Amino acid sequence: MEQSNLSSREPVLEVRDLRKDFTIHVIGRHVEALNGVNLTVGAGEHVALIGQSGAGKSTLLRCVWRSYRPTSGHVWLRQRDGAQIDLATADDREVADIRRQQIGYVGQFLRAEPRRSVLEVVARAGIRRGAHEDDATDQAVTALREVAIGEDLWGTSPVVLSGGEQQRINLAAGTLYPPHLLLLDEPVASLDAGNRQRVLERIGHLARDGVAVLSVFHDLEAVRQLATRVVALCDGNVVADGAPNEVLELVAS
Ligand SMILES: Nc1ncnc2c1ncn2[C@@H]1O[C@H](COP(=O)(O)OP(=O)(O)OP(=O)(O)O)[C@@H](O)[C@H]1O
Ligand SMILES: [Mg+2]
């Protein structure tokens, strides 16, 4: 990736004073899930979010992906062409275009159209990000091999497959023809050791290729293996942001 011009040194993602409140009227519950979060992710950086259950990790990823609309604050994305957009306030259509072309989101569950085959689901993710059909199919084949989805499954619908298989297909799709910014929410949660390692390696290559990655991993071994920086959240606040070994040591003490 081009690193020489000035703009490429600016962060790809810059989250400023981000707040997200939830009010559940029927039970009279009000939650301040994010309380003014600041963080940045640069090209080729892998920033891992850590923190206890309920700390706000998934909420933060969803505010960036904009499946949640932030209550206030900014989610600046420096797009591939260098233009900045605030995803916190951009209109839905603009967000949909940017998501399709520049952002990957891999959660624990695959949402695939029932009538598409495994190979199509993965290749289409690349086509949405600008790959030509043939190229996308070639890359989909490579990606599926990398995450150990056997050729006998490529023609079937992913909806009939196991949770772990779906998760690997999801990861293959989310990383094909790599997005500019990749959001990962526990992408190896239901994988056995061998498949987990394959998926982690694929994620590691992406950051090295210049993709900006913001992740949540349940197991800290994955964080140690992949993160270039760790941000710790507690009750919706950033309580530490720094080198992985320093932050992990801090939270362990
Ligand atoms: N859609 C929602 N409606 C109401 N409250 C929500 C919603 N999503 C999240 N919350 C609340 O916001 C807080 C943060 O939740 P979040 O899912 O971000 O935590 P997390 O750090 O991802 O936790 P975990 O490690 O368990 O996945 C929690 O108190 C949660 O109950
Ligand atoms: Mg979560």
Side-chain angles (χ1 to χ4, degrees):
M1 180 163 281
E2 176 65 44
Q3 290 292 332
S4 58
N5 67 29
L6 215 130
S7 70
S8 69
R9 288 195 209 106
E10 289 166 8
V12 169
L13 178 70
E14 189 168 359
V15 172
R16 287 288 160 242
D17 301 323
L18 191 68
R19 290 176 185 276
K20 178 63 183 171
D21 303 344
F22 295 102
T23 303
I24 309 169
H25 295 285
V26 281
I27 55 167
R29 183 167 182 253
H30 182 77
V31 183
E32 291 173 356
L34 299 174
N35 279 311
V37 166
N38 293 292
L39 65 82
T40 61
V41 189
E45 260 196 305
H46 182 135
V47 176
L49 299 169
I50 61 167
Q52 292 188 334
S53 181
K57 305 179 298 293
S58 296
T59 302
L60 177 51
L61 290 182
R62 288 185 186 139
C63 284
V64 174
W65 178 241
R66 248 292 289 279
S67 50
Y68 288 166
R69 192 180 272 274
T71 304
S72 65
H74 305 280
V75 178
W76 292 107
L77 178 76
R78 180 173 54 77
Q79 300 178 67
R80 280 195 217 272
D81 64 1
Q84 298 266 6
I85 184 164
D86 186 356
L87 294 171
T89 53
D91 69 52
D92 290 345
R93 196 181 305 165
E94 230 172 344
V95 169
D97 285 344
I98 287 174
R99 266 186 191 177
R100 204 166 36 242
Q101 295 160 11
Q102 304 191 49
I103 309 179
Y105 177 93
V106 180
Q108 284 188 50
F109 307 104
L110 174 72
R111 284 196 200 93
E113 312 97 302
R115 273 175 292 279
R116 300 225 177 256
S117 71
V118 166
L119 189 61
E120 280 173 335
V121 166
V122 177
R124 278 167 61 86
I127 292 167
R128 282 199 294 274
R129 288 194 278 270
H132 291 293
E133 195 170 338
D134 292 350
D135 195 28
T137 304
D138 287 350
Q139 287 197 38
V141 164
T142 308
L144 287 167
R145 290 209 170 108
E146 240 178 83
V147 299
I149 297 292
E151 207 164 327
D152 51 326
L153 298 181
W154 296 357
T156 56
S157 163
V159 297
V160 303
L161 301 180
S162 77
E165 285 162 346
Q166 290 191 14
Q167 201 163 57
R168 281 177 283 146
I169 291 162
N170 205 8
L171 196 282
T175 56
L176 201 81
Y177 204 75
H180 190 45
L181 171 67
L182 178 62
L183 307 168
L184 302 169
D185 198 350
E186 309 207 12
V188 294
S190 47
L191 302 185
D192 59 67
N195 284 321
R196 174 182 167 282
Q197 195 49 35
R198 282 188 192 96
V199 166
L200 294 184
E201 273 164 27
R202 184 163 171 91
I203 296 166
H205 292 151
L206 292 174
R208 259 166 265 148
D209 289 343
V211 176
V213 182
L214 181 61
S215 72
V216 176
F217 287 100
H218 199 68
D219 81 289
L220 296 181
E221 213 29 66
V223 173
R224 278 194 198 90
Q225 190 178 327
L226 292 174
T228 55
R229 200 145 52 76
V230 173
V231 171
L233 289 178
C234 181
D235 295 335
N237 296 293
V238 172
V239 291
D241 180 341
N245 48 8
E246 286 168 21
V247 176
L248 292 170
E249 209 168 291
L250 200 74
V251 296
S253 62

